[in-house]
């Protein structure tokens, strides 16, 4: 175990922990006393049918998703009981740097998207006695988990909104994610995951951030100097003053844990590789919500999957920021679109 000041209540709180006990993973490993970090907003009603579950995206925490929630938003805590659950390995929930031996650091076992969703399912049942979820919604890796929820628990999930993500990761996206991983592991300071501080892997984390600066945003974002949306005054300040320090604060092994499962996200594992059968079994009302300028979850990939889901619609989100539109830097221009779609979905009869 090592300490990392980035993953604290001061930076990412408030959050609580729920212990799953010894949690067995699909790849065969076990996380002893597996901890899920989570945040709740609102109150569970008497019928326990006002539940919204939000899983986290790659490198993100529950704090990032608070911007999507509010009394003037579709995700209204005055009306719904909202549970934001940090995925395993994200730095807050059980992760390589905060787990004891024998699974500490480089010994942390492989986790799949399906493990995250099984863990979340166990938590909401054990802690709250929930048997019905009004909506599961998530962006990017959160979208992967949203699809897994809808396919794995079709009678429980009434509505689902995967934003900027796919049910089965593409080969192109697998290769992109591999470059992110290689940027970290190629740094000599990584030392096969046995570093004593993330600062020892600063170069690898910088290159990791630089890859994001290319693929995470659109070409028009740079042409129109939209980096100003992130509160900076120059391209150099955006890359060297914002993106690089952001990723350099994170734990390298945590990023690798998430990237490995991102690469292998695939709901068709539940149907012997038949994606059409997996998505065809979804009973929820689904809004598939791609971002028009997203370069690694492009709309055409999302639409292809949407057509396999019986009770679904394609709802496009326009954002010049591409995948990084999820950060909401465009303010109401982005969030108003998301709210419109989620309002429609939550008001849909199921």
């Amino acid at each position: 175990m090592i300490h990392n000041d980035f993953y604290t209540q001061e930076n990412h709180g408030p959050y609580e922990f729920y212990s799953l006990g010894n949690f067995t993973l699909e790849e065969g490993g076990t996380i002893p006393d597996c901890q899920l970090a989570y945040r709740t907003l609102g109150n569970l009603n008497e019928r326990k049918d006002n539940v919204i579950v939000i899983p986290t995206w790659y490198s993100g925490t529950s704090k990032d998703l608070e911007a999507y929630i509010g009394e003037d938003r579709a995700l209204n805590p005055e009306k719904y009981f909202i549970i934001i659950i940090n995925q395993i390995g994200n730095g807050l929930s059980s992760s390589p740097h905060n787990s004891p031996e024998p699974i500490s650091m480089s010994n942390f076992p492989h986790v799949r998207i399906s493990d995250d969703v099984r863990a979340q399912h166990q938590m909401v049942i054990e802690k709250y006695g929930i048997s019905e979820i009004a909506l599961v919604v998530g962006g990017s890796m959160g979208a992967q988990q949203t699809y897994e929820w809808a396919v794995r628990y079709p009678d429980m999930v009434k509505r689902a909104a995967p934003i900027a993500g796919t049910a089965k990761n593409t080969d192109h996206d697998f290769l992109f994610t591999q470059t992110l991983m290689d940027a970290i592991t190629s740094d000599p300071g990584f030392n096969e995951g046995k570093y004593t501080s993330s600062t020892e892997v600063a170069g690898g984390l910088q290159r990791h951030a630089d890859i994001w600066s290319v693929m995470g945003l659109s070409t028009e974002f740079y042409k129109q100097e939209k980096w100003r949306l992130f509160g900076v005054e120059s391209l150099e300040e955006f890359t060297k003053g914002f993106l690089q320090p952001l990723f350099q604060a994170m734990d390298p092994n945590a990023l690798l844990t998430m990237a490995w499962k991102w690469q292998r996200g695939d709901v068709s594992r539940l149907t012997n590789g038949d994606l059409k059968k997996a998505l065809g079994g979804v009973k929820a009302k689904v809004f598939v919500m791609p971002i028009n300028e997203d370069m690694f979850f492009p709309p055409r990939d999302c639409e292809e999957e949407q057509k396999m889901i019986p009770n679904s619609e394609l709802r496009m989100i326009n954002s010049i920021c591409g995948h990084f539109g999820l950060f909401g830097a465009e303010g109401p221009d982005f969030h108003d679109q998301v709210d419109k779609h989620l309002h429609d979905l939550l008001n849909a009869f199921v």
Side-chain angles (χ1 to χ4, degrees):
M1 296 175 68
I2 62 171
H3 179 72
N4 186 319
D5 288 331
F6 180 70
Y7 302 109
T8 61
Q9 288 280 356
E10 288 73 24
N11 289 330
H12 299 285
Y15 54 85
E16 303 174 71
F17 288 103
Y18 183 76
S19 175
L20 299 171
N22 295 337
F23 189 73
T24 302
L25 304 168
E26 290 196 3
E27 289 294 303
T30 299
I31 300 176
D33 189 26
C34 184
Q35 301 284 320
L36 289 185
Y38 68 98
R39 169 92 197 270
T40 64
L41 298 99
N43 296 297
L44 186 62
N45 66 15
E46 191 173 330
R47 296 186 304 275
K48 298 186 177 182
D49 63 356
N50 68 331
V51 178
I52 293 176
V53 171
I54 311 178
T56 57
W57 58 57
Y58 178 81
S59 81
T61 69
S62 46
K63 192 70 176 180
D64 297 304
L65 293 158
E66 292 176 4
Y68 287 76
I69 299 165
E71 294 180 21
D72 57 342
R73 293 277 168 80
L75 305 180
N76 181 356
E78 291 295 306
K79 185 175 182 181
Y80 297 104
F81 180 55
I82 301 168
I83 313 172
I84 314 173
I85 309 177
N86 293 274
Q87 65 172 292
I88 296 170
N90 82 326
L92 299 186
S93 292
S94 287
S95 301
H97 81 278
N98 64 23
S99 293
E101 294 295 347
I103 64 163
S104 183
M105 300 294 284
S106 59
N107 292 323
F108 199 75
H110 286 314
V111 182
R112 285 189 175 270
I113 295 291
S114 51
D115 294 318
D116 282 308
V117 172
R118 289 190 304 107
Q120 293 160 19
H121 179 262
Q122 180 180 332
M123 174 188 151
V124 300
I125 288 178
E126 289 181 352
K127 184 168 179 61
Y128 298 108
I130 291 167
S131 59
E132 178 178 314
I133 297 176
L135 171 68
V136 182
V137 54
S140 193
M141 281 191 77
Q144 291 181 308
Q145 293 166 76
T146 298
Y147 274 119
E148 183 78 22
W149 263 105
V151 172
R152 184 176 285 270
Y153 304 111
D155 293 319
M156 188 176 190
V157 178
K158 302 305 177 184
R159 300 170 188 83
I163 305 173
T166 53
K168 181 176 182 177
N169 208 35
T170 64
D171 290 342
H172 179 272
D173 206 51
F174 187 102
L175 293 170
F176 162 67
T177 311
Q178 192 62 49
T179 66
L180 293 172
M181 299 170 76
D182 291 345
I184 294 172
T185 59
S186 63
D187 188 325
F190 179 67
N191 189 29
E192 298 181 336
K194 298 170 184 161
Y195 50 86
T196 58
S197 167
S198 61
T199 59
E200 297 171 13
V201 199
L205 291 169
Q206 174 187 319
R207 290 187 289 275
H208 179 96
D210 290 343
I211 295 169
W212 273 111
S213 72
V214 176
M215 287 293 290
L217 299 133
S218 72
T219 55
E220 280 298 312
F221 173 87
Y222 289 106
K223 284 181 184 178
Q224 298 182 29
E225 298 185 352
K226 291 295 185 179
W227 28 261
R228 298 180 189 276
L229 291 167
F230 287 82
V232 298
E233 297 300 322
S234 69
L235 174 59
E236 183 178 28
E237 188 181 352
F238 177 65
T239 56
K240 296 184 179 179
F242 171 67
L243 279 181
Q244 291 178 7
L246 174 65
F247 281 103
Q248 285 178 323
M250 298 178 188
D251 181 70
N253 279 321
L255 292 173
L256 292 171
T257 295
M258 289 182 282
W260 189 92
K261 60 175 152 171
W262 166 6
Q263 286 181 308
R264 291 159 180 81
D266 180 8
V267 296
S268 73
R269 294 178 68 248
L270 295 168
T271 51
N272 296 315
D274 188 335
L275 182 61
K276 189 173 182 179
K277 182 178 179 181
L279 294 177
V282 171
K283 296 181 181 179
K285 174 67 176 175
V286 179
F287 280 7
V288 174
M289 297 166 59
I291 293 175
N292 66 326
E293 293 281 356
D294 196 332
M295 291 209 290
F296 49 92
F297 292 114
R300 61 179 172 271
D301 291 344
C302 299
E303 183 176 11
E304 183 178 341
E305 294 181 340
Q306 178 263 319
K307 290 177 179 177
M308 301 180 194
I309 304 171
N311 190 18
S312 69
E313 296 180 29
L314 187 77
R315 293 290 188 105
M316 191 69 68
I317 299 171
N318 297 311
S319 173
I320 199 169
C321 293
H323 198 70
F324 272 28
L326 291 169
F327 286 98
E330 294 157 291
D333 287 344
F334 176 82
H335 281 293
D336 286 355
Q337 294 180 75
V338 174
D339 280 333
K340 168 63 168 62
H341 299 321
L342 293 182
H343 269 300
D344 290 349
L345 181 55
L346 283 164
N347 289 326
F349 178 78
V350 293

